[in-house]
Structures are given as C-alpha cells and as structure tokens.
Amino acid sequence: MSQKAIIFFEDFVKQFDLEKDKSNIESYYHKYHHTYRVMNKIEELGHLLHLNQEEMELAKTIALFHDLGRFHQLKKTKQYDDLKTNFDHAKESIFILEENDWFRNEAISEEVKEIISFAILNHNQYEIEQTPNETSYYFAKLLRDADKLVIMTEMNPVLKDSSISKEVLQEFQKEMLIHRQNIQTPLDNILGYLGFLFDLNFKETIVLLEQEKILESYWLCLEKNLDFNTFHELQEIVNKYLEKRKKEMLC
C-alpha cells in the first residue's frame, strides 16, 4: 500500500509548478521533505511498537497523506497557519484523496478508509476525538507522535527580546499542550513546540525524544532568553513530567 501511496504523493506534488511559484518554493520543499521525515519516523516508531507488515504499510500510508492539504493551503493562502487562514489542512487532505478517487482506485476497504481518515483528520486537532474504534484511535495517536517528534526536530529555537504570555506559561505549568490561539510572542511559540512532549502518547516516543536529544536546543535557547528562576522552573516541570512517564512505563 505505501509504495502506491508514494506514487500518488509524488504525482500530486508535481501538479505544483514550483518554478513559477518561486516565492513559496522553500515552503513547498519543506513540507515535501517533512512528509517523508514523518513517514520515516512513523516507521521507526512502528518497529519499536512491533507493528506487523500490514500495520506498518498502513501507518506509512497515513503519514504520506497527512499533510496533502498543506500544498493547497500554501497555494491559496501563502502560509501554513490553519488558525489564521481558517483552513483545516487535515480536512483538505481527505478531500484531495476523495477528489482523486484514491480509496476507490486502490480498492481500500471501508474499515481501512475509516482508519486513514480518522488518523489524518485528528492529527492537527488539540485532542483526538473519542471513538469506539480502538484501531482508528491507535493510528491517530501514532501519527500525532511521529508528526510532533519531527516538528520538534525541525524547529530552530533561536530568538531574542521576547517574553512568555501569562496564558502560555499557565498551560505549560499544568503540563498541557499549548493552545495555538494563546501564542502571542516568539517565546510563546517555542514553548508551544516544547509543550508537544505533554501530548506524546507512547512510551516508545518518549524513548526516542530522549535518545535523539531533541530537547537540548530548546534548553540552550531558553537559558539565553529567560531569567534564572523561570528557566529552571520550566526545566523542572519537564524533567518531573518525563520521570513520571518513565515510571508509568515500568508499570
């Protein structure tokens, strides 16, 4: 399944004439490479979670298709911000698959279609919609974890002369995923990405987070831009949270 998904994805991207739209070429290529990074990360997580071959193919397909809507979003709005543009790129991704009859052409069963659609539609939401379908919920969690790990590594946390908004600090102190509408400053934005760790679902994702030392660049940036007490408060919140998750892994 994933090989056919790759062909579809590559053909889809070729529709965009990047040479004519040079003003957005960097953003297009970023999303193109992001897609493959998420596919590779979901495969890495899949191995740690002992997915079988069929499950792995499904996970990789979901990863390949999760951001199809971003390409339409960039073409129409010139940016990748769902909140500012009132453009749900996850819904657009499913629309693209439906418009191109991908599910029907590949003879995808209704059961698998539901899993793919549910995972993609929920990857950009604040939280996953409740569903009695445990398989759909599982793959939604898997996509969210892979996507968040990749985004955290893509982020280059460098800034100066910024502050933390009250609402963002309060959410971080409560070990919450930061609501995008509360982000007002560049420093808020960095905490928003750092706060992704509070929404990771699998213990294997936590393992990769630490093995890949993803948090190091965030701490270096925050240490340079925060007062001593605030920096160490944030670091203590994260360290305690990770220790709590590690203990849960042993249960």
Side-chain angles (χ1 to χ4, degrees), residues 89-249:
H89 75 276
K91 287 184 179 179
E92 186 71 10
S93 297
I94 299 302
F95 173 78
I96 290 165
L97 292 174
E98 296 278 13
E99 185 181 44
N100 287 273
D101 287 327
W102 185 82
F103 294 111
R104 182 174 62 82
N105 292 340
E106 300 302 328
I108 302 299
S109 69
E110 283 300 316
E111 178 185 3
V112 172
K113 178 182 176 181
E114 180 185 348
I115 295 168
I116 293 172
S117 299
F118 185 86
I120 291 175
L121 288 172
N122 279 275
H123 89 273
N124 65 332
Q125 300 303 305
Y126 185 78
E127 58 187 357
I128 303 174
E129 177 187 356
Q130 292 301 311
T131 175
N133 190 322
E134 294 181 4
T135 304
S136 292
Y137 198 80
Y138 180 90
F139 279 94
K141 292 193 297 181
L142 185 57
L143 176 59
R144 284 168 71 96
D145 275 21
D147 196 31
K148 282 183 170 63
L149 274 189
V150 170
I151 293 172
M152 290 179 78
T153 59
E154 291 171 342
M155 176 67 177
N156 183 23
V158 177
L159 57 81
K160 61 181 179 179
D161 300 327
S162 185
S163 59
I164 305 175
S165 300
K166 179 181 177 181
E167 293 79 7
V168 169
L169 181 58
Q170 288 176 340
E171 288 188 319
F172 199 93
Q173 289 169 330
K174 294 176 183 177
E175 300 177 355
M176 293 173 59
L177 185 64
I178 307 300
H179 284 86
R180 296 303 298 175
Q181 59 265 35
N182 289 336
I183 292 176
Q184 304 295 326
T185 72
L187 192 48
D188 287 347
N189 198 44
I190 288 177
L191 284 189
Y193 287 118
L194 179 60
F196 277 1
L197 67 93
F198 298 133
D199 191 52
L200 299 178
N201 296 284
F202 298 101
K203 63 182 181 181
E204 289 79 5
T205 315
I206 299 291
V207 170
L208 288 181
L209 178 81
E210 295 199 311
Q211 284 182 350
E212 297 173 14
K213 300 181 179 179
I214 292 173
L215 301 184
E216 285 191 359
S217 60
Y218 288 86
W219 294 134
L220 287 172
C221 174
L222 292 173
E223 189 172 23
K224 292 177 181 177
N225 290 277
L226 293 174
D227 63 79
F228 179 87
N229 290 334
T230 304
F231 171 74
H232 284 280
E233 178 191 1
L234 297 180
Q235 200 169 47
E236 185 176 12
I237 290 169
V238 170
N239 289 339
K240 284 185 176 180
Y241 177 80
L242 291 176
E243 285 302 315
K244 178 174 65 177
R245 291 298 302 272
K246 288 176 190 174
K247 288 180 181 178
E248 292 172 358
M249 294 177 198

Side-chain angles (χ1 to χ4, degrees), residues 7-22:
I7 293 171
F8 178 89
F9 176 73
E10 290 291 338
D11 287 343
F12 172 76
V13 173
K14 287 175 184 176
Q15 299 174 25
F16 300 88
D17 192 339
L18 302 186
E19 290 305 312
K20 286 186 178 180
D21 194 11
K22 289 186 177 180

